[in-house]
Amino acid sequence: MIGADAIRGHIDLILLAILETRPSYAYELSKTITDRSRGEYVVKQTTLYTAVKRLQSHRLLDSYEDVSSSGKPRTYYKITPDGHDQLDAKRAEWRSTRALVDHFAEGQDTA
Amino acid sequence: MIGADAIRGHIDLILLAILETRPSYAYELSKTITDRSRGEYVVKQTTLYTAVKRLQSHRLLDSYEDVSSSGKPRTYYKITPDGHDQLDAKRAEWRSTRALVDHFAEGQDTA
DNA sequence: TGCGATACTACGTCTGCCGTAGTACGTTGG
DNA sequence: CCAACGTACTACGGCAGACGTAGTATCGCA
């Protein structure tokens, strides 16, 4: 089970990366994350909704209603061109972060 | 330059890992981090002091004064046995987190 | 008709990192 | 001698992200 603080700040990257492939809606996104992490990471509903709203407010996601599906109409989220750019940027940032933490965590002394 | 939010939650791991080798004091720790990250990550003083105090309050670090050095007496920090355990735990957590983010970030679809 | 899955919102709280600022001591050097 | 600079540390308020809890609402199905 992975704690939220460890993931903190990377949820945007995860969501954008999932939505890069195809549009999805909040509930499905949360399932996708749970499934693909084999249950290791379960996003809280509040966290998820907050995150998609944040991304949308930054114009990284667009949303549209889908009435055709069964049940309540769903809000689908779709990545925007800006979202793609951000995704690239966040991937790069992640690689830097990963390299940095790896460096210290593994205690190498090569500068 | 790596933003603090990307590192957030991993500072404890970084500090413990550095102190695993040998005791150090706040100022030196900050220099170590700056140097070893080639200036990519510069910890703020407030962040650093908050972090070491937090670790100490959790009994992961011990401190002692060193009067022999020139200048103001320094507070040296030394990792405790509990700190070693935490370090192992945090390393493991980091590996999980890394695997998870990598998985999503790189858009693999192998569950 | 009511239960379970789906779909979402509201609100207050906690924690970590930041910005800014100030205090204080020592060595060095003009 | 005293001023500047590096070292060492504290205080305080702010902000954002994630959380816990809880409530609302619709639909399918038995």
Side-chain angles (χ1 to χ4, degrees):
Chain A
M1 198 69 74
I2 293 180
D5 282 346
I7 298 292
R8 192 188 177 108
H10 303 302
I11 292 205
D12 291 6
L13 165 58
I14 292 174
L15 293 176
L16 288 172
I18 294 174
L19 292 170
E20 190 186 29
T21 312
R22 59 184 177 84
S24 185
Y25 51 98
Y27 211 82
E28 191 186 49
L29 285 168
S30 108
K31 296 213 154 196
T32 303
I33 292 171
T34 302
D35 292 351
R36 301 228 325 229
S37 70
R38 295 182 209 108
E40 264 209 276
Y41 179 48
V42 180
V43 208
K44 299 294 173 292
Q45 271 196 326
T46 41
T47 302
L48 187 66
Y49 283 103
T50 304
V52 290
K53 279 182 188 304
R54 178 175 57 241
L55 291 171
Q56 196 174 15
S57 78
H58 292 343
R59 312 272 168 205
L60 308 180
L61 297 183
D62 260 349
S63 66
Y64 59 91
E65 297 294 310
D66 175 51
V67 196
S68 72
S69 59
S70 64
K72 277 195 86 171
R74 290 165 180 157
T75 303
Y76 271 79
Y77 296 95
K78 186 183 184 311
I79 195 165
T80 64
D82 279 2
H84 273 289
D85 293 348
Q86 252 325 112
L87 177 54
D88 287 344
K90 282 182 180 297
R91 278 193 172 122
E93 190 189 11
W94 163 245
R95 283 190 285 267
S96 296
T97 302
R98 190 183 55 192
L100 180 67
V101 179
D102 272 345
H103 172 72
F104 286 107
E106 307 309 335
Q108 294 125 13
D109 24 68
T110 46
Chain B
M1 197 69 74
I2 293 181
D5 283 346
I7 298 291
R8 191 187 179 110
H10 303 302
I11 292 206
D12 291 6
L13 166 57
I14 291 174
L15 292 177
L16 289 172
I18 294 174
L19 291 169
E20 191 188 28
T21 313
R22 59 183 178 85
S24 186
Y25 50 98
Y27 211 82
E28 191 188 49
L29 285 169
S30 107
K31 296 210 155 196
T32 302
I33 292 172
T34 302
D35 291 350
R36 300 227 327 229
S37 70
R38 296 181 207 107
E40 265 209 275
Y41 180 47
V42 180
V43 208
K44 299 294 175 292
Q45 271 197 325
T46 42
T47 303
L48 187 66
Y49 282 103
T50 304
V52 291
K53 277 182 190 302
R54 179 174 57 239
L55 292 170
Q56 194 174 17
S57 78
H58 293 342
R59 311 273 168 205
L60 308 180
L61 298 183
D62 261 348
S63 65
Y64 58 91
E65 296 295 309
D66 175 50
V67 196
S68 71
S69 59
S70 63
K72 279 196 84 171
R74 289 165 181 156
T75 303
Y76 270 80
Y77 296 95
K78 186 183 183 311
I79 196 166
T80 65
D82 279 3
H84 272 289
D85 294 349
Q86 251 327 109
L87 177 55
D88 287 344
K90 283 184 179 296
R91 277 194 172 120
E93 191 189 11
W94 163 244
R95 282 191 284 266
S96 297
T97 303
R98 191 184 54 193
L100 180 67
V101 178
D102 271 345
H103 172 71
F104 287 107
E106 307 309 334
Q108 294 125 13
D109 23 70
T110 46

